[in-house]
Amino acid sequence: MMNKIVFIGAGNVASHLVPALHAKGYDICQIFSRTEQSARMLAETVGAAYTTDTARIDNTADIYIYSVSDSALPSLATRIDAPNALHLHTSGSTGMDVFAGQAQNFGVLYPLQTFSKSKPVNLGEVTFFIEANNDFARAKTHELAHALSDKVQPLDSDGRKRLHLAAVFVCNFTNHMYEIGSELLQEAGINFNVLLPLIDETTGKIRTLSPYEAQTGPAVRNDRNIAQKHLDLLHGKRSLDEIYRLISNDIYTVHQKNPTC
């Protein structure tokens, strides 16, 4: 078992993977982050060393897991001199070939979930999508992923990019819609919590219905009177009227192709 791990990054993803792997018996020997407080706080949770200096990253580990921004990953991948170790990143949008020429064994360990430091996540319910450049790296990456969850699937870089794009729509963009809704309610002096039952029902429906079948609202029935009233309320609020119009038009376009009545 390759069990000595260095984590590159101490952000949202690392804050969940580090204690989980430690609990499974992996030796988290060091945390690197450009921010000393982040590195120190995460390292202290598992009794690891930490550094903010790439020149001081331990080069004797078995596995290096990079949980950093896509923009920082290529540079960091070239600065760790451990060519025989297994190098993995957790990005949904970057190919595994970012490690090509730098390491013999490399791949991807991508957890399909939204992570925040302050919110616990049951990793056993998370699907990990993995990819590797050779049989050895593939076996070790699967072993590592399987220690965290029984839900492990192989997926190549192109498929992962498309999966990440879909995840941005259903997670990040949807959450921004919540933020917009919260702003609108604040202006009216209404607590956002009144929307929670609606949100729960909407998300619950797609467990038994397709998203297409679950769609309701003025756009799907082309109710232009209500739409105009909404647009009037949004006038002058950043580009919210444009967002409303674009989404409404797309909903109508999709559903008019398959009329139900």
Side-chain angles (χ1 to χ4, degrees):
M1 177 179 177
M2 301 172 66
N3 66 356
K4 188 177 179 182
I5 301 177
V6 168
F7 261 83
I8 310 301
N12 290 332
V13 177
S15 69
H16 290 269
L17 297 187
V18 164
L21 287 170
H22 175 72
K24 293 296 183 179
Y26 286 88
D27 175 15
I28 312 299
C29 62
Q30 189 182 51
I31 307 292
F32 164 83
S33 175
R34 298 189 188 279
T35 305
E36 181 175 355
Q37 183 180 12
S38 296
R40 175 177 52 79
M41 290 180 65
L42 184 55
E44 287 176 351
T45 65
V46 294
Y50 68 90
T51 185
T52 59
D53 184 356
T54 54
R56 296 194 175 189
I57 293 175
D58 185 343
N59 65 356
T60 67
D62 301 307
I63 304 171
Y64 293 80
I65 299 178
Y66 300 69
S67 292
V68 296
S69 68
D70 286 7
S71 60
L73 181 55
S75 174
L76 286 168
T78 67
R79 303 188 71 176
I80 298 174
D81 183 22
N84 297 319
L86 175 61
H87 293 254
L88 302 171
H89 72 67
T90 61
S91 169
S93 295
T94 299
M96 68 174 179
D97 57 359
V98 69
F99 297 117
Q102 306 298 325
Q104 296 180 22
N105 309 298
F106 54 85
V108 179
L109 178 73
Y110 173 53
L112 182 61
Q113 187 53 276
T114 175
F115 294 98
S116 297
K117 289 184 178 181
S118 59
K119 175 67 169 63
V121 170
N122 180 2
L123 290 177
E125 295 298 319
V126 175
T127 302
F128 284 78
F129 292 88
I130 64 172
E131 183 182 18
N133 72 312
N134 59 44
D135 289 343
F136 171 80
R138 191 172 300 109
K140 293 301 180 182
T141 304
H142 185 273
E143 178 183 285
L144 190 69
H146 203 266
L148 296 168
S149 174
D150 289 333
K151 300 179 179 180
V152 180
Q153 294 186 31
L155 188 65
D156 64 18
S157 292
D158 182 66
R160 193 174 62 257
K161 288 177 185 177
R162 295 173 186 274
L163 176 63
H164 187 250
L165 173 59
V168 166
F169 271 95
V170 304
C171 176
N172 306 134
F173 288 178
T174 298
N175 189 73
H176 188 61
M177 296 300 105
Y178 298 158
E179 185 176 354
I180 292 172
S182 178
E183 290 178 18
L184 295 173
L185 289 183
Q186 284 179 10
E187 292 177 358
I190 303 171
N191 193 298
F192 180 76
N193 287 346
V194 301
L195 290 180
L196 294 181
L198 176 63
I199 292 171
D200 290 342
E201 176 63 19
T202 303
T203 56
K205 278 201 298 187
I206 59 173
R207 294 185 180 275
T208 55
L209 300 175
S210 71
Y212 179 89
E213 293 171 320
Q215 187 68 57
T216 62
V220 75
R221 61 180 183 266
N222 197 28
D223 192 326
R224 297 183 182 181
N225 289 330
I226 291 181
Q228 189 56 55
K229 290 178 181 179
H230 290 169
L231 289 168
D232 291 342
L233 287 171
L234 293 173
H235 182 69
K237 298 182 187 295
R238 301 198 307 274
S239 55
L240 297 189
D241 55 347
E242 182 180 356
I243 293 171
Y244 184 100
R245 187 176 288 107
L246 284 170
I247 294 175
S248 294
N249 286 343
D250 196 56
I251 290 172
Y252 177 67
T253 298
V254 169
H255 283 266
Q256 73 168 343
K257 294 176 181 177
N258 298 285
T260 57
C261 61

